[in-house]
Amino acid sequence: QEQLVESGGGVVQPGTSLRLSCAASGFTFSRYGMHWVRQAPGKGLEWVAVIWFDGSNQYSVESVKGRFTISRDNSKNTLYLEMTSLRAEDTAIYYCASESIPKFRGSGTPVYWGQGTLVAVSS
Amino acid sequence: SSELTQDPAVSVALGQTVRITCQGDSLRSYYASWFQQKPGQAPILVISAENNRPSGIPDRFSGSSSGNTASLIITGAQAEDEADYYCNSRDSSGNHLLFGGGTQLTVL
C-alpha cells in the first residue's frame, strides 16, 4: 500500500527558508516520478514541481523558480522541497504525490497523495 | 494558454446525472485527470488520464473529452459525492502540470 508522509512544515518569517520532506513506503520509490502540490487556505490546488524517477529532470511553476528546489534521495525513499526567500503567498498545505507509471520520462499524473504539511509564512 | 477553466459551482439532485467541465488549450494535446477533495482531506484521483477509473472508485464516475474540453460525469450522484472536483493536465510544453480552479459540487 503506497504511503506518503510529509514533514517539515511550520510557521516561518518572510524571507527565511524551510525544507520539506516526504517519506515514501509501500512501493518502489525509485521507479516513479514525484510531485509537490500546494493549496493555500480556502483556495484551489496549485502544482509546484516535479522530479523524474531518476532525478534527471525537474520542473517547477514560474512563481517558485529560483526559490524552491525539488530533489530526491532514492536510497532513503525520500522526496524534498527546499524553499528559500519565502513569501506570505507561499502559505499553504504542501502535498507530495507520486505517479503510477514506472520510469515515465515526463510529467505524469500525481496519483497517490500524502496528507500534507502546513507552511505558514508570517511576520 | 496555460490555464484550465472550471465552473466554480455546480449542483445536482440526488440520483441524477451531472457533468463537470474543464476547458483549456492544452486539452487538445493531453488528457485530463480528475480529483475529488472533501473538506480537510487530501485529494483523491477519481479519473486518470485517458479516462480510466482507478480501482475502488465507483463506476458512476466516468470521463470524456472533446476538443479543448474534458468532462467528469457522475451518473446517479450520491450524497457522498458532494465535494470539490479539480481537473488536471499538462501545459503546452508537456513538462508542467496544471490544475483547474475547482468546482464545488452540491448534491441536493
Side-chain angles (χ1 to χ4, degrees):
Chain A
Q1 184 77 357
E2 297 82 1
Q3 187 172 12
L4 298 167
V5 180
E6 302 93 338
S7 61
V11 181
V12 296
Q13 293 192 330
T16 60
S17 301
L18 201 60
R19 187 176 83 158
L20 305 183
S21 299
C22 170
S25 60
F27 66 103
T28 306
F29 178 74
S30 61
R31 300 183 73 197
Y32 298 95
M34 297 292 297
H35 299 260
W36 287 101
V37 178
R38 67 184 180 183
Q39 187 169 35
K43 302 297 184 182
L45 300 174
E46 181 184 30
W47 176 78
V48 176
V50 63
I51 186 166
W52 287 15
F53 68 98
D54 57 1
S56 61
N57 280 286
Q58 310 90 38
Y59 300 96
S60 60
V61 69
E62 194 64 35
S63 60
V64 308
K65 280 183 181 174
R67 299 190 301 124
F68 291 10
T69 302
I70 187 172
S71 63
R72 65 190 297 160
D73 186 336
N74 285 347
S75 69
K76 295 183 178 179
N77 292 341
T78 304
L79 174 73
Y80 302 101
L81 186 67
E82 191 76 42
M83 304 185 293
T84 65
S85 302
L86 282 161
R87 306 167 180 168
E89 54 264 36
D90 296 319
T91 294
I93 295 172
Y94 284 73
Y95 297 100
C96 69
S98 65
E99 299 178 4
S100 63
I101 298 176
K103 298 189 176 182
F104 180 65
R105 293 196 174 275
S107 293
T109 300
V111 175
Y112 305 105
W113 296 57
Q115 287 304 304
T117 186
L118 177 62
V119 173
V121 184
S122 173
S123 55
Chain B
S1 77
S2 298
E3 289 185 348
L4 297 176
T5 302
Q6 297 181 241
D7 291 328
V10 170
S11 62
V12 61
L14 184 67
Q16 296 303 299
T17 297
V18 63
R19 178 184 294 260
I20 298 172
T21 61
C22 174
Q23 290 188 303
D25 287 344
S26 66
L27 297 179
R28 298 185 185 278
S29 303
Y30 301 107
Y31 285 100
S33 300
W34 290 91
F35 294 86
Q36 177 193 72
Q37 187 181 34
K38 296 182 179 179
Q41 297 183 17
I44 62 170
L45 182 70
V46 294
I47 295 291
S48 65
E50 301 184 20
N51 300 321
N52 293 321
R53 194 173 52 250
S55 76
I57 300 301
D59 61 7
R60 63 179 178 272
F61 289 89
S62 62
S64 69
S65 61
S66 178
N68 73 335
T69 301
S71 299
L72 172 69
I73 302 151
I74 307 174
T75 303
Q78 301 299 301
E80 60 264 33
D81 299 335
E82 191 162 283
D84 293 328
Y85 291 87
Y86 296 90
C87 62
N88 162 250
S89 188
R90 304 185 207 179
D91 75 352
S92 55
S93 77
N95 293 319
H96 298 74
L97 294 190
L98 299 169
F99 283 95
T103 297
Q104 184 177 54
L105 177 66
T106 300
V107 180
L108 305 171

